[in-house]
Amino acid sequence: MPQSAPPAPVPDTASGPARGRGRGRRILLPAAIAALTAVFVAPLPQATAADDVYYRDALGKSGEPLKQALHGIISADTTKLTYSQVWEALKVTDADPNRPGNVVLIYSGISRSAANNGGNTGQWNREHVWPQSHGNFGTAAGPGTDLHHLRPEDVQVNGARGNKDFDNGGSAVSGAPGNYTDADSWEPRDAVKGDVARMVFYMAVRYEGGDGFADLEVNNTAGNGSVPYLGRLSVLKEWHEQDPPDANERRRNEVIFEDYQNNRNPFIDHPEWVEAIW
């Protein structure tokens, strides 16, 4: 479904965020700057020659062979951030394109000063879309600091989500219109349902248990608790179809690849691979 615009931003009191110094930084000439600006207003093509090179070992596969090929691709030569570095990275990856110096909070959709981060009421902190307890990885460099599933969110809204699985229904969430929750599940607002699903699918492919962390898997259950599973798969697939990748999600994927981690979320680049695996 079409992405809806976030609520009106709060006043900006912060200076513009500093760019990261990750891998693959490039000096943009005027033509390149114009091309990058166009990303904000028009969808990117689904596949390019560079895309085919990055994913060459996965092309033509499906099922478990595709999942394993993608795991190898997105796990190779990656850069791992520290948990403190995540603060600064999110100020870039989730920058509000309409309000310099602000970030957009994933669940509430609010634009908030990037400098207003921390653990107090009214601030934003680091939301693990795949909860830390679902695999017990904490904030260790790796799954605990992977930008592909870390997003800014209001402290209280983040606390209300906790470690719940994803599913439809529940009661309205205070401070986050369009979000619903019950005892064991969380439903995000429509504008980011697909974003959430693709972050979950990425984590299930990226972390397969061979790097000292748990093997993360998606299942069709809500209320998984502390086991390394996250659901509900059938609902996440529906959200993925209803809310396809938009220009901002593609831009975020590009920034993480170029400036921070040197890897991509394949389900943003190739949405059809969700059905091919699950």
Side-chain angles (χ1 to χ4, degrees), residues 139-190:
T139 59
T145 64
D146 196 317
L147 291 173
H148 283 297
H149 85 116
L150 284 162
R151 303 293 292 266
E153 186 48 65
D154 175 80
V155 169
Q156 290 180 291
V157 174
N158 194 350
R161 189 274 165 116
N163 71 343
K164 296 174 182 177
D165 292 81
F166 292 106
D167 201 354
N168 289 315
S171 302
V173 177
S174 176
N179 294 255
Y180 300 90
T181 190
D182 58 23
D184 60 12
S185 71
W186 183 271
E187 178 184 351
R189 60 192 175 102
D190 290 345

Side-chain angles (χ1 to χ4, degrees), residues 28-48:
L28 297 179
L29 298 175
I33 293 173
L36 183 60
T37 302
V39 171
F40 287 100
V41 296
L44 296 179
Q46 187 178 76
T48 64

Side-chain angles (χ1 to χ4, degrees), residues 9 18 36 56 74 94 124 130 145-146 167 180 206 218-219 223 235-237 257 270 274-275:
L36 183 60
R56 63 182 178 273
I74 65 178
D94 291 81
W124 65 267
W130 188 294
T145 64
D146 196 317
D167 201 354
Y180 300 90
R206 171 65 180 88
V218 189
N219 66 10
V235 172
L236 290 166
K237 288 176 67 176
F257 173 65
H270 285 272
V274 170
E275 187 63 35

Side-chain angles (χ1 to χ4, degrees), residues 34-212:
L36 183 60
T37 302
V39 171
F40 287 100
V41 296
L44 296 179
Q46 187 178 76
T48 64
D51 177 63
D52 288 343
V53 171
Y54 183 77
Y55 291 117
R56 63 182 178 273
D57 292 338
L59 299 177
K61 296 178 180 178
S62 63
E64 188 63 23
L66 173 58
K67 186 183 181 188
Q68 290 305 312
L70 291 176
H71 170 72
I73 292 167
I74 65 178
S75 302
D77 300 321
T78 59
T79 298
K80 296 179 181 179
L81 279 66
T82 66
Y83 201 42
S84 62
Q85 288 173 326
V86 168
W87 283 124
E88 296 307 312
L90 291 178
K91 295 175 184 179
V92 179
T93 61
D94 291 81
D96 185 343
N98 300 313
R99 192 75 178 183
N102 279 23
V103 294
V104 178
L105 310 186
I106 182 169
Y107 300 135
S108 59
I110 294 170
S111 180
R112 183 167 292 174
S113 170
N116 190 22
N117 61 287
N120 298 320
T121 300
Q123 294 185 311
W124 65 267
N125 61 3
R126 298 157 291 189
E127 154 70 344
H128 291 76
V129 173
W130 188 294
Q132 303 170 43
S133 62
H134 289 238
N136 194 32
F137 50 76
T139 59
T145 64
D146 196 317
L147 291 173
H148 283 297
H149 85 116
L150 284 162
R151 303 293 292 266
E153 186 48 65
D154 175 80
V155 169
Q156 290 180 291
V157 174
N158 194 350
R161 189 274 165 116
N163 71 343
K164 296 174 182 177
D165 292 81
F166 292 106
D167 201 354
N168 289 315
S171 302
V173 177
S174 176
N179 294 255
Y180 300 90
T181 190
D182 58 23
D184 60 12
S185 71
W186 183 271
E187 178 184 351
R189 60 192 175 102
D190 290 345
V192 296
K193 278 184 165 71
D195 306 54
V196 165
R198 286 179 284 277
M199 286 185 275
V200 170
F201 295 139
Y202 163 87
M203 292 292 284
V205 171
R206 171 65 180 88
Y207 299 99
E208 292 280 77
D211 52 5

